[in-house]
Amino acid sequence: MAAFSEKITLISGTAHRALSEAIAEALDIPLANAHVGRFPDGEVDIKVLEDLRGSDCFVLQPTCPPVNDNWVELLLLIDTLRRSSAGRITAVMPYYGYARKDRKDEGRVPISAKVLANTLIVSGANRVVTVDMHAAQIQGFFDVPVDHLYAKPALLGRLRQLDIEDPVIVTPDVGGIKMARGYAKPIGADLAIVDKRRISGSEIAVEHVIGEVEGRNVILVDDMISTGGSITEAAGILRKNGAKSIVIAVTHPVFCGPAIERLANAPVDKVLVTDTIPRGENWPDVIETVSVAPLLAQAINNIHHSQSVSVLFED
Ligand code: R5P
C-alpha cells in the first residue's frame, strides 16, 4: 500500500446514493465526481473524473440486493482506485451481503463469505468497514483491518425516545443473545429468547419462549430481516404468550420475498430499522428508519485521522 496524503476521497457506488450523500454531508466533504453506470449489456461502466493519486479513499457501497450486481460494482470501483494510484482504499459496506454463509455446515456447499472476502482483497481493498456483520468472525477471513461498527447507538437512541415502560429485550433466536444483551444492559431491561428452528430459507418454526413476557412491553432485536419469517413468527408467539406491545429494532432491512407483507400484517406496534439498505417505496408506515450516516461519518473521520473507532461504542 502506498503512503496516503492528507487528502480524503469519498466515492459512492449506486447501491445507496442517499446514504453516501448523508455521510458526505456529515463530513462536509463532497462525493467524488465519478460516473458509475452500466453498459448496454448490463456490465458496470466506471470513470472517475478527478485525481486520486495518494488520496485516502473510502468507497461507499452496501452489498444489499441486487447483491451480485452491487458486489461487482464495488470490486470494480476498488480496482479503479487502485489503478489510479490511491494511497489507501477502504471498502465501506454498511450491509455486508453473503455473510450468512460463513462455514461449511453441510457437505458440498461453498463458504461464500470467504470467497467474497477474497475478492475484495484481490481487487485492492486495504481496509473494510461494516455494520453489524451477521457473523463477526468473518473479520478473520481478512488479513487487513476490519472495523466492525454497531448500529446499537443509533437504534438505542430512538428506543430511548420512545420511552418504553418496563421493557424486555427479546432475541428471535439463540444466536442473537449477545446482541440482545448489548441492548438490555444499557437500559436495564430483562432478557427473553424465542426458540426458533429453521425449516428452509424462507420458513421457520418457533416453539417456545424462554423468559417472562406476559404483560410486558417487548423490544425484539435482530441483525437483519430477510424474508421476515423469523421476526414475524417470533412476534406471533410473543403475543400468544401475553406481550402487551412489541417494537422491533433491526439493523439491516434486507426485505426480500414476502417480508413487507409479513411485517404489514404482523402483531407489532413499530418496526425500527436503519438505512444501511435503501428504503423501499412500498414500505408501510409501521416501518421507521433511523440513520447510521452520522456513525459511519464519524468512523470514517477517525480512521482517516488514525484515531480509535472503538471509542464510538463505549457506553
Ligand atoms: C438469523 O440468524 C438472522 O439473525 C436473522 O434472524 C435471519 O437471517 C432473518 O431471516 P428471515 O427474515 O428470512 O427469517
Side-chain angles (χ1 to χ4, degrees):
M1 179 180 65
F4 62 90
S5 61
E6 282 297 297
K7 193 174 146 197
I8 177 169
T9 301
L10 300 179
I11 184 158
S12 179
T14 59
H16 197 348
R17 183 86 190 177
L19 178 63
S20 301
E21 283 167 1
I23 293 170
E25 196 183 326
L27 286 167
D28 200 17
I29 299 169
L31 291 172
N33 188 6
H35 164 76
V36 185
R38 296 290 181 272
F39 287 111
D41 60 0
E43 291 181 358
V44 175
D45 176 25
I46 295 172
K47 169 79 182 161
V48 178
L49 302 160
E50 60 186 65
D51 179 33
L52 300 165
R53 205 166 282 269
S55 187
D56 190 15
C57 293
F58 293 83
V59 191
L60 313 174
Q61 176 88 327
T63 49
C64 51
V67 56
N68 298 338
D69 222 37
N70 287 333
W71 205 294
V72 171
E73 192 181 278
L74 172 62
L75 298 179
L76 296 181
L77 277 163
I78 293 169
D79 184 67
T80 306
L81 301 178
R82 180 175 56 174
R83 291 174 194 281
S84 309
S85 306
R88 177 172 69 175
I89 304 165
T90 300
V92 181
M93 305 167 67
Y95 172 71
Y96 189 103
Y98 276 110
R100 283 186 288 177
K101 204 70 190 165
D102 65 327
R103 64 190 182 281
K104 199 172 162 191
D105 51 1
E106 57 182 315
R108 301 185 297 280
V109 296
I111 304 182
S112 315
K114 171 61 179 156
V115 175
L116 275 296
N118 289 350
T119 64
L120 288 171
I121 300 306
V122 168
S123 303
N126 305 121
R127 186 173 201 108
V128 176
V129 175
T130 189
V131 181
D132 286 335
M133 202 184 240
H134 178 67
Q137 61 271 22
I138 291 172
Q139 292 170 77
F141 291 172
F142 294 94
D143 286 327
V144 299
V146 177
D147 289 302
H148 188 195
L149 313 182
Y150 306 102
K152 190 178 82 175
L155 287 169
L156 211 46
R158 182 63 186 126
L159 287 169
R160 282 199 164 109
Q161 284 173 351
L162 294 175
D163 204 14
I164 299 167
E165 206 183 307
D166 190 26
V168 52
I169 303 286
V170 182
T171 168
D173 68 59
V174 183
I177 291 178
K178 192 171 171 220
M179 183 179 214
R181 203 179 288 131
Y183 278 84
K185 200 171 157 218
I187 56 174
D190 290 338
L191 206 59
I193 302 163
V194 172
D195 178 23
K196 160 182 126 177
R197 192 162 46 85
R198 186 167 283 284
I199 299 166
S200 70
S202 64
E203 273 182 287
I204 57 123
V206 292
E207 275 141 23
H208 309 101
V209 177
I210 304 162
E212 194 46 66
V213 296
E214 191 170 357
R216 306 286 300 275
N217 296 307
V218 163
I219 302 173
L220 193 48
V221 300
D222 207 351
D223 62 331
M224 68 168 83
I225 296 175
S226 184
T227 64
S230 307
I231 213 88
T232 57
E233 289 288 327
I237 197 168
L238 289 164
R239 281 286 190 199
K240 267 193 210 146
N241 280 258
K244 190 155 81 176
S245 70
I246 302 178
V247 171
I248 291 173
V250 164
T251 306
H252 306 296
V254 181
F255 293 175
C256 54
I260 294 293
E261 200 189 327
R262 282 173 168 171
L263 287 170
N265 297 317
V268 299
D269 301 271
K270 193 178 268 302
V271 182
L272 293 180
V273 297
T274 79
D275 57 355
T276 56
I277 293 173
R279 191 177 173 96
E281 281 167 13
N282 60 341
W283 291 11
D285 291 344
V286 73
I287 304 170
E288 182 183 321
T289 304
V290 176
S291 185
V292 288
L295 179 71
L296 285 162
Q298 191 63 57
I300 289 170
N301 178 72
N302 288 19
I303 292 165
H304 179 63
H305 292 105
S306 299
Q307 289 167 1
S308 166
V309 170
S310 52
V311 76
L312 305 178
F313 302 100
E314 283 166 7
D315 284 333

